[in-house]
């Protein structure tokens, strides 16, 4: 069985390789073929003949690509990430293409990175690092705020949101959260409230909800206007949660006190590749990088050894489940064959939350 891995980087090859696959799959043959470029309509033909493709956050898994994959005999899409906003699950279900993700490879890795962004932006350690290297030990412009006792708002209290809340609670912060599906895990650290109240009262707002049609641009002119003046906004979830034009305006008016991004609306054109020798044509991204109180990272919150190892192992397990026609606990869409057997619909959703079938 062949697995075509798209957007493959050297570190992917270190963790996701044929020997590890054979080990997990009890010796059953999985041949892994790596493609360094992303999956798109232009590259999809390279997957023809493979049983499954393995993709990451910025690969194109829209309806036309899924149809082309299906025509080329591919029957499974394995996401080596948690978010699946870039996959047309309805079309996958119609075509009988199995889709599985890795929902919880290391929520702490992402949460810890969100905390790192808060700390860096708040205390300006990134600027201090550069100054000191040039012999500049001045503290002017590096003034931060003590986080102890501040209010932190968590939008989305799933695995990552709760892990983030746990750390910030340890800092002595007051935690508020908004989530249409509240859970008791968060209640140990703080209180649920309406989004409006969270925005009005929080000194730090951190986004941890998935990108869906209902959350796209959840941070816009209106919601930014409801935030406390001078508050900090952190996004380690998906770029599309924020309307970039609106945050630029809020930064210019000084209503927004700081912005830390690990994800960006237009990231697929740039992230994970070196563009240092080219002219970057995204004016909004470039404008963001000019603010002293904005930090942009290239979607690296997941990037720990532990997370990469877990992503690789879960991906192989998902593939094994698919190949051996076993129920897969991380399936977002079962193949039609499986769903025929289980009487379950190929795809079921409760609002924006996928229901495992
Ligand atoms: P999760 O499914 O465990 O939790 C998501 C939570 O968001 C759920 O509790 C859900 O009820 C809530 N939610 C849904 N709609 C909402 C809304 N309108 N407002 C507020 N909350 C809402 O997911 P997770 O594992 O915690 O991951 C969260 C997101 O983090 C993922 O969707 C993914 O996009 C992103 N992520 C980023 C990285 C990275 O490297 N930057 C890595 C992994 C995941």
């Amino acid at each position: 069985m062949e697995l075509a891995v798209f957007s493959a980087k050297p570190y992917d090859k270190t963790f996701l390789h044929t020997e590890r696959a054979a080990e997990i799959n009890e010796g059953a043959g999985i041949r892994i073929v790596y493609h360094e470029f992303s999956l798109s309509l232009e590259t999809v033909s390279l997957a023809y003949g493979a049983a499954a493709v393995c993709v990451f956050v910025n690969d194109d898994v829209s309806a036309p690509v899924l149809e082309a994959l299906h025509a080329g005999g591919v029957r499974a899409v394995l996401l080596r990430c948690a978010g699946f906003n870039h996959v047309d699950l309805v079309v996958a279900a119609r075509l009988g293409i199995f889709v599985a993700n890795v929902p919880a490879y290391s929520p702490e890795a992402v949460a810890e990175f969100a905390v790192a962004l808060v700390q860096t932006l708040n205390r300006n350690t990134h600027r201090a690092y550069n100054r000191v290297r040039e012999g500049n030990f001045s503290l002017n412009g590096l003034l931060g705020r003590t986080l102890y006792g501040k209010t932190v708002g968590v939008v989305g209290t799933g695995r990552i949101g709760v892990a983030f809340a746990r750390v910030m609670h340890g800092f002595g912060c007051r935690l508020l959260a908004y989530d249409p599906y509240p859970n008791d895990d968060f209640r140990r650290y703080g209180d649920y409230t309406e989004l409006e109240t969270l925005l009005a009262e929080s000194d730090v707002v951190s986004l941890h909800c998935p990108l869906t049609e209902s959350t796209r641009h959840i941070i816009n002119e209106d919601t930014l206007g409801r935030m406390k003046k001078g508050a900090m906004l952190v996004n380690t979830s998906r770029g599309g949660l924020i309307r970039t034009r609106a945050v630029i305006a809020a930064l210019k008016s000084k209503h927004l006190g700081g912005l830390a991004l690990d994800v960006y609306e237009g990231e697929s054109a740039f992230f994970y590749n070196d563009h240092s020798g080219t002219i970057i044509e995204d004016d909004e991204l470039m404008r963001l990088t000019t603010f002293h109180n904005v930090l942009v990272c290239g979607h690296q919150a997941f990037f720990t050894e532990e997370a990469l190892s877990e992503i690789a192992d879960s991906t192989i397990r998902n593939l094994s489940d698919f190949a051996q026609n076993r129920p897969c606990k991380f399936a977002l869409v079962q193949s039609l064959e499986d769903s025929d057997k289980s009487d379950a619909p190929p795809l079921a959703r409760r609002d924006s939350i996928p229901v495992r079938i």
Side-chain angles (χ1 to χ4, degrees), residues 82-83 103 105 110 155-161 178-181 208-210 215 236-238 262-263 299 301-302 352-353:
Y105 45 82
V110 182
V155 180
T157 52
R159 301 170 190 90
I160 297 171
Y178 168 70
D179 192 313
Y181 302 98
H208 299 289
C209 59
T215 60
T236 55
S237 190
R238 283 294 180 267
D262 185 47
V263 287
H299 205 146
F302 72 100
S352 59
I353 311 301

Side-chain angles (χ1 to χ4, degrees), residues 20-334:
R20 185 73 187 123
E23 216 176 290
I24 295 174
N25 206 24
E26 290 155 6
I30 294 177
R31 193 168 81 88
I32 302 183
V33 177
Y34 303 97
H35 300 295
E36 283 174 23
F37 35 80
S38 55
L39 177 65
S40 67
L41 261 187
E42 286 72 46
T43 61
V44 67
S45 60
L46 286 151
Y48 289 2
V53 291
C54 178
V55 297
F56 197 47
V57 290
N58 290 325
D59 289 287
D60 178 357
V61 202
S62 59
V65 174
L66 284 165
E67 274 154 13
L69 285 171
H70 186 260
V74 177
R75 292 292 178 267
V77 173
L78 306 172
L79 308 177
R80 45 184 201 283
C81 54
F84 50 86
N85 51 283
H86 55 316
V87 186
D88 194 325
L89 294 179
V90 174
V91 170
R94 178 168 56 73
L95 295 169
I97 294 180
F98 170 91
V99 182
N101 68 344
V102 185
Y105 45 82
S106 179
E108 288 77 18
V110 182
E112 287 169 13
F113 194 81
V115 176
L117 291 178
V118 172
Q119 287 277 70
T120 307
L121 190 60
N122 180 39
R123 302 302 294 271
N124 289 297
T125 44
H126 56 310
R127 299 175 69 205
Y129 173 82
N130 285 329
R131 280 188 191 185
V132 168
R133 283 163 69 90
E134 293 196 355
N136 178 356
F137 299 93
S138 160
L139 297 185
N140 292 334
L142 302 185
L143 191 65
R145 298 171 76 201
T146 304
L147 284 173
Y148 179 86
K150 295 291 184 302
T151 300
V152 174
V154 185
V155 180
T157 52
R159 301 170 190 90
I160 297 171
V162 168
F164 175 77
R166 188 186 308 124
V167 179
M168 298 315 290
H169 182 256
F171 276 24
C173 295
R174 168 189 175 231
L175 271 294
L176 291 178
Y178 168 70
D179 192 313
Y181 302 98
N183 69 67
D184 288 341
D185 288 342
F186 174 78
R187 287 199 177 92
R188 275 186 280 169
Y189 307 113
D191 299 316
Y192 280 102
T193 181
E194 288 308 311
L195 181 60
E196 208 167 303
T197 312
L198 179 151
L199 295 173
E201 295 189 13
S202 298
D203 300 287
V204 176
V205 174
S206 194
L207 305 179
H208 299 289
C209 59
L211 176 62
T212 64
E213 280 320 305
S214 64
T215 60
R216 183 174 298 281
H217 292 169
I218 192 169
I219 300 297
N220 52 41
E221 288 81 354
D222 176 53
T223 45
L224 282 161
R226 292 170 191 274
M227 282 177 71
K228 196 169 174 176
K229 186 171 166 48
M232 178 193 297
L233 177 64
V234 181
N235 188 8
T236 55
S237 190
R238 283 294 180 267
L241 296 177
I242 294 180
R243 187 196 291 275
T244 309
R245 210 175 336 128
V247 280
I248 290 174
L251 285 159
K252 284 169 76 175
S253 71
K254 302 187 185 67
H255 184 74
L256 186 61
L259 175 69
L261 300 179
D262 185 47
V263 287
Y264 170 67
E265 246 186 323
E267 69 175 55
S268 60
F270 308 104
F271 283 17
Y272 300 121
N273 291 305
D274 180 0
H275 294 273
S276 56
T278 61
I279 303 296
I280 293 182
E281 291 188 8
D282 187 324
D283 291 350
E284 289 185 343
L285 176 58
M286 289 298 97
R287 180 68 180 101
L288 282 176
T289 62
T290 65
F291 291 100
H292 73 86
N293 53 351
V294 172
L295 202 56
V296 181
C297 293
H299 205 146
Q300 66 173 92
F302 72 100
F303 201 53
T304 65
E305 289 178 13
E306 293 78 2
L308 288 192
S309 176
E310 184 53 38
I311 288 170
D313 289 4
S314 294
T315 300
I316 299 298
R317 272 190 234 108
N318 289 344
L319 180 61
S320 303
D321 288 343
F322 162 74
Q324 293 173 28
N325 221 2
R326 286 189 303 243
C328 174
K329 66 175 175 172
F330 295 155
L332 295 163
V333 178
Q334 294 279 20

